[in-house]
Amino acid sequence: MIRTSSARRLIAAGAFLSLAFSGSAPAALAGDLAEPPVLASKNGALNLLMVARAAPISTFPDYSATGWVFDICERPARFAATCPASDKNKNPYAGVRLQLRQGDLLKVRLVNALPPIKDSGHATEPGHAFLALDPINIHTHGMLVSPHGPGADGAYGDNVFVMTLNPKNGPMPADSHAHSDVRYGYTDYSIKIPAGHPSGLFWFHPHIHGIALNQVSAGLSGIITVGALEDYVCKNASCASFFKSLPVRHIILKDAQILKDGVLLDEEEPSFCDPAQASGEPPRKGSCPGVKSSDEDGGDYTGGRWYFTLNGQPYPSIPVKSPGGEIWRITTASGSVSYDLGLWNPKQQRNMVVQVLSVDGVAVQPGQGISLGDLRQIGGAKVKPVACPGITSAATDGAPLCVRRLLMMPSSRVELWVTYRDADDRPAQPSGEETAILRTAGFETGPDGDSWPAIDLANVQFKGSGAETPAPQALTIAPDALTYREPTDVNASLLAANTAVGVDPSCHALPQGHSRRVFFNAPTSDPDAFGLGYEELDAHGAPVPGTFMDVKEFDPSRPTICLPLGPRNTPVHEKWELVNLAGEDHNFHIHQVKFRLLTHDEISGAILPGSDRGSGILHDNIPLQHADGVCNSVADWRNGACTAHPVTVDIPFAIAGDFVYHCHILEHEDGGMMARIRVRPSNDPPQMRGTRPLASQ
Ligand SMILES: [Cu+2]
């Protein structure tokens, strides 16, 4: 059962017109997977011009489609609103990689050269007609950076409450409910990467409420790496020499639905294809054929095709030539699609084991002796750990994390060590050439949710042999997730930015032992929309009277949650219980933090809070499984009408400013499943403000 969402009703699909050749032939092979182009910082700075515009997408066979892309180049010395022609990435839909280091200053001049959204349902929506003008902004997803407003130089931080319009598309209507700074032409961003920032994989994408899905689906995103893999992988000598032999790939997963006439849809329609390969249908190599939707009011997608690309390429080849395998850094940049990702070995008829090096931009390092059961709890539904073959717990500094499957909901990232494995799943050199298929097995998000299709994403050939250094059973990882559980370095490094945010005396710290509960559901008043609810819990887990807010659509005008940093602006930990009452899965994301999942033992108090036993994986987004039963309201849930599967997280807030938490299924975010949160400097007496945090004195 697929529900028609408000976003889908409000936004007419198909913002682009283009020529079509033919819509029936299966996708041709796309050749070897190419790396995204890199723009690297120099001397502590990366100064970019980023132009959002419509552009042809060159890599879809059989269709001539147009998407929305970022042209990105080093910012020319003279004022310019376009990148020099020679700098232009040949296929900007694929996305680029920004390569940064701790301490860098990322400066971006973001220019909006997008066309207006044709046929946008928003055009007639009171207060939101401006969305049809296609305003844009950028968010650096997962990064621990300041979301500050315009500084002395007029530049913004990682702030989603600013939008840039293309002046050619006309002015904001007078009655607009923007609740953002509104700028025309361009906006400057100046984002300082704190000295203590984790090394890892992040990404950037637009974050305009109401059209985030459309802009991301049309191609507007890219990835960011901070630091180097060597900062956290194989820091001991024997592993380091092996690690040097491993090539590194960056893989950006995107999907695009293209109609028979070449129009690229700016949001995914789950019923575009059959969920799984139909009888008589050729293997789904990077795409599936459009069908007449079985939905009551679904469309006819016959002759169209739904592409699932890696770096813009449908079904590329990935030749693994190094005998020790490769490192894959994977970003899920689809708007709403979830990937049940695995590396299928056709000979062994099962998914291969891979080692997970990092999750959501932070290296994983489960504490020594952690049980597989605890590991499964802190990995959530995203990471499905299996025992690493050949590893005894004493073999490495801590337990490595291995999986056969990953539930990659929108925005999640992982870094993997991918190597050929024998019948016992141990790292091995292939005898001759062995093949595997990177695929998504398809994923259903629940009885009221969506059915995302099964697709073969890439063909992998293991060719390497003759290794000089024997492969270890697992790569060693520096204890980053244990370190960043306490983001004191990031906090200390952002002290000036935190202090510059005005104090808000109405922000009160949670009383000792209290926690927060966030509800995910459709608002009772509008079952087709999406919303969040809230209440505070006392030390016994009982709702604090007067704090309940029913599930409602996003209200950008005021924060749902406001909290001060700790004494002398040090990090503050809060416990949040995330309760999904809906009949479909959601994917919780919060800006400016990394959180960890608590195990049942930690929630019940059977182990001490923060024990290493319950630590080792940090996330910035986590799947929330749908409730069983039907709850149209929080009251239904309190009365036992459904059983929810809450996830409890520990969030260390270390960065002051206004930002958001939301479902990262962008259809749901645009539909209203988002709330504003305000973190303010501490309410210390004035003489204490701005001094060094205690931890770093
Ligand atoms: Cu959602």
Side-chain angles (χ1 to χ4, degrees):
M1 186 168 68
I2 293 159
R3 183 170 54 186
T4 303
S5 76
S6 62
R8 206 166 282 144
R9 273 192 289 111
L10 291 171
I11 301 166
F16 315 104
L17 284 173
S18 62
L19 295 171
F21 300 123
S22 122
S24 54
L29 290 179
D32 287 356
L33 178 65
E35 271 287 288
V38 179
L39 291 135
S41 65
K42 288 179 207 121
N43 305 319
L46 183 59
N47 193 356
L48 300 175
L49 176 64
M50 202 181 273
V51 183
R53 65 179 182 105
I57 303 176
S58 60
T59 54
F60 298 129
D62 312 321
Y63 300 91
S64 173
T66 296
W68 292 340
V69 300
F70 286 122
D71 279 337
I72 304 180
C73 56
E74 288 191 30
R75 192 167 147 198
R78 290 189 308 133
F79 181 86
T82 58
C83 285
S86 59
D87 268 26
K88 274 182 190 157
N89 174 1
K90 286 199 185 70
N91 183 16
Y93 174 79
V96 303
R97 174 164 73 95
L98 311 184
Q99 183 179 304
L100 299 169
R101 294 203 152 270
Q102 287 81 357
D104 279 351
L105 186 62
L106 170 63
K107 294 177 76 172
V108 175
R109 171 157 291 181
L110 175 67
V111 174
N112 188 345
L114 290 168
I117 305 180
K118 286 177 195 159
D119 310 324
S120 169
H122 290 298
T124 54
E125 205 184 326
H128 294 102
F130 70 91
L131 291 172
L133 304 177
D134 217 358
I136 197 170
N137 61 9
I138 48 166
H139 164 52
T140 51
H141 182 115
M143 292 184 67
L144 301 179
V145 295
S146 171
H148 64 77
D153 56 356
Y156 288 77
D158 177 27
N159 185 326
V160 296
F161 297 104
V162 56
M163 63 174 69
T164 306
L165 288 112
N166 181 352
K168 287 185 182 154
N169 297 351
M172 289 281 282
D175 68 340
S176 295
H177 298 170
H179 298 290
S180 285
D181 291 358
V182 176
R183 300 178 45 84
Y184 290 89
Y186 71 89
T187 297
D188 286 339
Y189 291 83
S190 180
I191 298 172
K192 179 75 178 171
I193 318 305
H197 197 283
S199 289
L201 177 63
F202 307 88
W203 68 300
F204 60 93
H205 61 83
H207 208 294
I208 302 286
H209 175 64
I211 54 173
L213 170 63
N214 312 100
Q215 294 189 338
V216 170
S217 295
L220 287 164
S221 64
I223 58 173
I224 299 173
T225 55
V226 177
L229 281 156
E230 288 78 4
D231 295 344
Y232 50 94
V233 183
C234 283
K235 294 186 83 167
N236 52 321
S238 62
C239 186
S241 69
F242 171 75
F243 183 62
K244 281 200 186 81
S245 72
L246 305 186
V248 177
R249 289 185 191 274
H250 297 83
I251 297 174
I252 308 172
L253 300 176
K254 295 186 180 181
D255 70 297
Q257 295 181 336
I258 303 181
L259 299 176
K260 183 170 60 177
D261 61 0
V263 168
L264 185 151
L265 297 187
D266 57 2
E267 58 186 287
E268 301 109 323
E269 170 51 55
S271 62
F272 192 99
C273 293
D274 289 327
Q277 185 185 348
S279 69
E281 184 193 324
R284 294 181 160 184
K285 295 183 174 176
S287 66
C288 55
V291 295
K292 189 167 179 353
S293 168
S294 52
D295 259 10
E296 205 175 294
D297 35 66
D300 186 351
Y301 305 103
T302 310
R305 193 159 275 277
W306 189 353
Y307 287 97
F308 289 75
T309 60
L310 285 71
N311 304 342
Q313 297 171 254
Y315 205 66
S317 286
I318 304 183
V320 177
K321 294 173 183 163
S322 163
E326 296 187 345
I327 304 296
W328 291 2
R329 314 178 86 181
I330 303 177
T331 301
T332 318
S334 282
S336 295
V337 170
S338 290
Y339 296 74
D340 184 347
L341 207 62
L343 192 54
W344 178 254
N345 182 327
K347 242 185 216 171
Q348 298 174 349
Q349 283 291 298
R350 62 183 178 199
N351 279 343
M352 294 172 61
V353 169
V354 295
Q355 185 188 354
V356 179
L357 309 176
S358 83
V359 170
D360 292 346
V362 183
V364 297
Q365 181 59 310
Q368 184 77 38
I370 190 170
S371 71
L372 203 53
D374 281 350
L375 204 48
R376 288 191 173 127
Q377 291 176 46
I378 65 171
K382 183 192 305 177
V383 186
K384 302 170 187 306
V386 297
C388 287
I391 295 290
T392 57
S393 60
T396 57
D397 298 337
L401 175 62
C402 290
V403 298
R404 291 182 195 273
R405 286 172 56 197
L406 289 155
L407 175 56
M408 302 283 284
M409 293 189 91
S411 83
S412 56
R413 287 95 60 218
V414 289
E415 294 176 305
L416 307 175
W417 176 36
V418 175
T419 186
Y420 189 72
R421 288 174 183 263
D422 62 19
D424 297 323
D425 295 314
R426 294 187 182 225
Q429 291 183 29
S431 54
E433 183 173 314
E434 300 283 356
T435 60
I437 295 167
L438 179 69
R439 62 167 44 152
T440 169
F443 188 71
E444 301 230 7
T445 64
D448 290 340
D450 297 318
S451 185
W452 302 112
I455 303 283
D456 289 352
L457 300 170
N459 185 284
V460 184
Q461 304 96 39
F462 293 95
K463 301 178 171 182
S465 62
E468 287 169 15
T469 316
Q473 298 297 318
L475 306 185
T476 57
I477 314 275
D480 269 24
L482 293 178
T483 306
Y484 289 106
R485 190 174 62 184
E486 301 296 341
T488 44
D489 289 351
V490 166
N491 174 261
S493 155
L494 289 176
L495 183 65
N498 284 343
T499 311
V501 176
V503 175
D504 184 340
S506 71
C507 287
H508 296 292
L510 273 183
Q512 183 75 28
H514 284 216
S515 57
R516 305 187 196 271
R517 177 182 277 155
V518 178
F519 296 104
F520 295 71
N521 206 359
T524 320
S525 57
D526 184 357
D528 283 341
F530 296 90
L532 294 173
Y534 172 78
E535 66 190 7
E536 183 182 323
L537 304 178
D538 68 18
H540 306 288
V544 175
T547 61
F548 176 69
M549 296 168 71
D550 206 352
V551 173
K552 62 170 185 187
E553 291 178 63
F554 179 47
D555 178 0
S557 68
R558 62 181 66 86
T560 298
I561 293 171
C562 186
L563 66 129
L565 290 171
R568 303 186 186 214
N569 293 326
T570 50
V572 164
H573 284 260
E574 289 197 351
K575 190 165 84 172
W576 289 23
E577 185 186 34
L578 311 169
V579 184
N580 182 4
L581 303 181
E584 67 179 313
D585 298 353
H586 294 297
N587 194 42
F588 170 74
H589 168 56
I590 176 166
H591 294 201
Q592 266 67 48
V593 302
K594 297 286 172 197
F595 56 82
R596 67 188 179 89
L597 272 57
L598 302 189
T599 61
H600 301 317
D601 281 351
E602 192 167 344
I603 295 168
S604 71
I607 62 166
L608 287 174
S611 151
D612 282 0
R613 213 189 99 190
S615 291
I617 304 177
L618 295 176
H619 308 261
D620 58 46
N621 66 93
I622 194 71
L624 304 175
Q625 192 195 326
H626 60 273
D628 296 316
V630 177
C631 278
N632 293 320
S633 65
V634 173
D636 284 354
W637 173 68
R638 296 201 211 277
N639 293 330
C642 67
T643 303
H645 305 282
V647 169
T648 303
V649 297
D650 174 275
I651 310 178
F653 290 96
I655 300 174
D658 276 34
F659 47 98
V660 286
Y661 57 97
H662 60 91
C663 177
H664 216 293
I665 296 172
L666 291 179
E667 180 203 0
H668 303 175
E669 187 265 285
D670 283 337
M673 195 168 263
M674 179 153 76
R676 183 168 182 153
I677 178 169
R678 172 167 294 166
V679 178
R680 283 291 177 262
S682 72
N683 297 325
D684 294 334
Q687 68 275 14
M688 279 176 68
R689 280 180 214 146
T691 52
R692 301 275 306 155
L694 290 169
S696 60
Q697 278 176 345

